[in-house]
Each structure stands twice: as C-alpha cells, then as structure tokens.
C-alpha cells in the first residue's frame, strides 16, 4: 500500500530533551515536506526537500532541523524542544514538488512540557 | 512570500444544501491551487486541484473556480452529505516550487 508513515504518533517530552520524528514514504517520491498544525493557524511549512541531500526552509524553520540522506526518509529533529513547539506535525510527499498532489502522513502529536 | 486567506473559518449547512469556501492569494506567480479535506484524527487528503491555465474544474459534487485577475479561488460542494463534515484547506504554490502556503482552514458541518 502506498503510504507515508510517521513515528511516533504521540510523544510527550520535556524542554531541552532532543527528539526525532521519523517520516518514510514508499512511493519513490522526490519531494518531501514537514508541516505543523496549530488551532486557527492552518498548516505551516517547516522544511521541505526537493530531492536527496537538498533541503530548504519553509515559513517556520526556527528550532527544527531536517536531513535527507535517502529518498524515502525525511526525519524532523528538535535539538532542544520548547513548549511553543507543542503541536500536531505532518509529513508529506509528492512525486516532484509542491506543484503536485501531496500525500500526508497520519500526524504526530507532540507535547513539550 | 505568498499569503493565503481563507473564509469562512466555520460553516454549517443543512444536508442537501450547497457549501462555498473562498480563498485569496497574494503572489501572482502562484499557479497551482489544491484543496485538501482533513477528517478527524487523519492527515489532509487532496479532493480537487486546479492549475492556472483553467478557470473551473468539476468532479461530481465538487467544483473549484479560479479567478487569476482577482487572485481568488473557491471550492463549491453541492448536495452536501453528513460525510462531507471535515476541515477543508486551500493552498497555493508554483511550478517546480518547494514552498506551499495553506489557508487557515474551514470547519464544515453538515447537519442531517
């Protein structure tokens, strides 16, 4: 089944404790992206990747890192999480760019205490 | 950068009525306008999209219209059903771009 998977689905952590949210797609898509969803603010893009080893900032990149060492994986790294990063996070992929349909993962709900 | 505004933020209709959600964008270079539906506890899913070389696109009960001059596009759902209840997002991006800007979402409730 073609899909985007994220792990973990739920995470409660404390301020300053480094964490990684994994994202993987099995559709051989070139483009991958991370979004955060907050009430009343819609989906805001954190980082995106047009292909392996190519990443760029979205609208809200502060406090986040990403890497794209393999085509199928695009992990989101929070080096020192803070409470304002409490949010619902979505990973998405598309065949080539944001000019194409994006397929979203199921989401990761992160709480930073 | 691109700015997308979406209205209304909430919309309640009776089953069988039509629903219209409107978005405006600011960047004239944007040429791809998808609409996503997000059901409770799930990720958004594409329901229809339009590119700037067309003014209207229809898929059964769902249609999207685009006015490039006014930088405005709309989602129309006819004969609404309770299963249409969800959050709907519009978005804008351009050819070969990585950035994608979403509206703030519209919560649609269809009352049986």
């Amino acid at each position: 089944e073609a899909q985007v998977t994220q792990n973990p689905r739920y995470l409660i952590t404390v301020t300053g404790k480094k964490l990684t949210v994994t994202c993987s797609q099995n559709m051989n898509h070139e483009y991958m992206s991370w979004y955060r969803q907050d009430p009343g603010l819609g989906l805001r893009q954190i980082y995106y990747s047009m292909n392996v080893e190519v990443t760029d900032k979205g609208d809200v990149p502060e406090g986040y890192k990403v890497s794209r060492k393999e085509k199928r994986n695009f992990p989101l790294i929070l080096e020192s999480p803070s409470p304002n990063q409490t949010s619902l996070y979505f990973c998405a992929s598309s065949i080539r760019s944001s000019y194409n349909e994006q397929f979203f993962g199921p989401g990761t709900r992160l709480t930073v205490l | 950068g691109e700015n997308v505004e979406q209205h209304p933020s909430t919309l309640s209709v009776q089953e069988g009525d039509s629903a219209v959600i409107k978005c405006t964008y600011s960047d004239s270079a944007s040429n791809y306008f998808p609409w996503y539906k997000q059901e409770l506890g799930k990720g958004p899913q594409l329901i229809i999209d339009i590119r700037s070389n067309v003014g209207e696109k229809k898929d059964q009960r769902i249609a999207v219209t685009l006015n490039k001059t006014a930088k405005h596009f709309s989602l129309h759902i006819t004969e609404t059903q309770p299963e249409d209840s969800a959050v709907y997002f519009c978005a804008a991006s351009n050819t070969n771009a990585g950035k994608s800007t979403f509206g703030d979402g519209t919560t649609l409730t269809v009352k049986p």
Side-chain angles (χ1 to χ4, degrees), chain A residues 3 11-12 21 28 31 43 46 71 79 99:
Chain A
Q3 59 182 351
L11 179 60
I12 300 174
V21 184
N28 201 35
Y31 176 90
L43 290 157
I46 303 171
K71 199 171 189 178
E79 296 265 1
Y99 187 67

Side-chain angles (χ1 to χ4, degrees), chain A residues 30-41:
Chain A
E30 291 184 358
Y31 176 90
M32 296 185 75
S33 183
W34 276 102
Y35 298 89
R36 61 178 288 174
Q37 183 176 14
D38 302 290
L41 295 178

Side-chain angles (χ1 to χ4, degrees), chain B residues 9-35:
Chain B
S9 56
T10 60
L11 179 59
S12 182
V13 301
Q14 285 296 135
E15 183 177 359
D17 286 351
S18 295
V20 180
I21 303 170
K22 300 182 179 183
C23 287
T24 59
Y25 62 99
S26 61
D27 189 349
S28 56
S30 290
N31 57 4
Y32 176 61
F33 307 95
W35 285 91

Side-chain angles (χ1 to χ4, degrees), chain A residues 32-55:
Chain A
M32 296 185 75
S33 183
W34 276 102
Y35 298 89
R36 61 178 288 174
Q37 183 176 14
D38 302 290
L41 295 178
L43 290 157
R44 293 182 292 168
Q45 193 173 36
I46 303 171
Y47 269 96
Y48 62 90
S49 170
M50 299 293 280
N51 214 323
V52 176
E53 301 290 0
V54 180
T55 62

Side-chain angles (χ1 to χ4, degrees), chain A residues 2-6 23-25 27 29 31-37 42-45 88-94 100-108, chain B residues 34-38 42-47 89-91 100 102:
Chain A
Q3 59 182 351
V4 177
T5 56
Q6 296 179 226
C23 173
S24 183
Q25 51 92 7
M27 296 170 279
H29 283 171
Y31 176 90
M32 296 185 75
S33 183
W34 276 102
Y35 298 89
R36 61 178 288 174
Q37 183 176 14
L43 290 157
R44 293 182 292 168
Q45 193 173 36
L88 179 58
Y89 291 86
F90 287 101
C91 179
S93 72
S94 84
N100 306 104
E101 174 183 5
Q102 293 188 60
F103 294 84
F104 284 81
T108 294
Chain B
W35 285 91
Y36 289 85
K37 176 183 180 182
Q38 184 180 27
K42 296 185 178 181
Q45 190 169 7
L46 183 80
I47 54 171
F89 292 99
C90 62
S100 186
F102 283 75

